[in-house]
Amino acid sequence: MVQARIGERLGLAPATVSEGVKRLVTEGYVEIRGARDVELTEKGHLIAEALVRRHRLAERMLTDILGMAWHLCHEQAEDWEKVMTPEVEEAILAKLEGEPTCPHGNPIPGTSSGIPWSSLEPVAALDAGAGGVLTRLLEDVELDHDVLKFLEEHGLMPGSHLTVMDTAPDGTILLEVQRAGTNPARVALGRNLADNLWVLPAL
Ligand SMILES: [Zn+2]
């Protein structure tokens, strides 16, 4: 990942990013490839994977066990991921059924959860009349509280059935959303959000 993108993602100034990256290089967690590309070393990868696993398990704990709103679990999990021990990870997994993904549909590293990318398509790529089950929301949508709140309010969470009703000339997509236990509802999505929502197309 290039340093500019890291800064954008974390909301940090370029100088702060390059200082942080330098420290991670000294400690052996990342390497600089080429001009500005930052890559995880094996040691860095192991730590990153553990953090992602704890983050996603914390999200499930907050939604499934504590009953917290779906749109709040990502920001709340950011603290939990730093303090979770392997014993707590195991205890959460034991409470969840089957092979859980995170509440946004992303696989939990170290488990065999999640449907492979090759079977999924972004909503933005579907033609009118096509649809499927909303399966994964890319991590980018998790960064924006208002986006998450909007998605939850309109039932745009994993498990909902989506059908593309029409696409406007500017790329806006009109969807019908069917969520178990609720009436079908319509919602319009811009290109950017529609690119971040991936469905398992209906055959
Ligand atoms: Zn998250």
Side-chain angles (χ1 to χ4, degrees):
M1 191 183 266
V2 291
Q3 300 204 17
R5 173 105 171 88
I6 297 175
E8 214 173 87
R9 180 83 186 240
L10 299 175
L12 297 172
T16 315
V17 173
S18 73
E19 213 172 280
V21 166
K22 248 184 239 157
R23 213 174 56 227
L24 291 172
V25 170
T26 315
E27 290 169 10
Y29 295 116
V30 300
E31 284 169 354
I32 311 271
R33 298 258 170 84
R36 303 190 66 78
D37 211 11
V38 182
E39 273 185 35
L40 290 168
T41 60
E42 211 181 299
K43 178 176 159 187
H45 189 84
L46 275 177
I47 296 216
E49 198 180 70
L51 274 175
V52 171
R53 187 176 63 246
R54 290 177 199 147
H55 176 89
R56 293 182 178 165
L57 283 170
E59 289 182 330
R60 287 243 72 123
M61 172 185 75
L62 293 164
T63 54
D64 292 38
I65 302 171
L66 301 182
M68 193 164 245
W70 181 85
H71 75 275
L72 295 175
C73 70
H74 172 76
E75 60 192 50
Q76 290 292 327
E78 296 200 321
D79 290 324
W80 288 93
E81 74 193 27
K82 300 186 185 86
V83 296
M84 193 180 290
T85 59
E87 288 82 358
V88 173
E89 285 185 37
E90 245 176 70
I92 296 171
L93 264 178
K95 285 264 184 215
L96 302 172
E97 283 180 20
E99 292 281 3
T101 62
C102 87
H104 314 94
N106 295 300
I108 294 175
T111 74
S112 54
S113 66
I115 294 171
W117 279 120
S118 51
S119 331
L120 304 177
E121 274 192 68
V123 169
L126 299 178
D127 295 326
V133 177
L134 179 55
T135 302
R136 277 201 198 184
L137 292 89
L138 300 200
E139 282 182 313
D140 280 357
V141 306
E142 292 184 42
L143 303 177
D144 190 325
H145 180 95
D146 292 340
V147 167
L148 288 169
K149 199 156 180 277
F150 176 88
L151 295 174
E152 182 170 25
E153 278 167 6
H154 293 278
L156 291 165
M157 295 175 282
S160 294
H161 198 280
L162 310 182
T163 309
V164 173
M165 305 310 291
D166 208 353
T167 302
D170 72 346
T172 305
I173 294 178
L174 180 63
L175 286 175
E176 187 171 86
V177 183
Q178 171 74 72
R179 193 153 178 88
T182 61
N183 292 325
R186 294 204 172 177
V187 61
L189 281 187
R191 198 88 205 167
N192 185 35
L193 277 182
D195 261 336
N196 281 281
L197 270 48
W198 288 62
V199 299
L200 181 63
L203 294 177

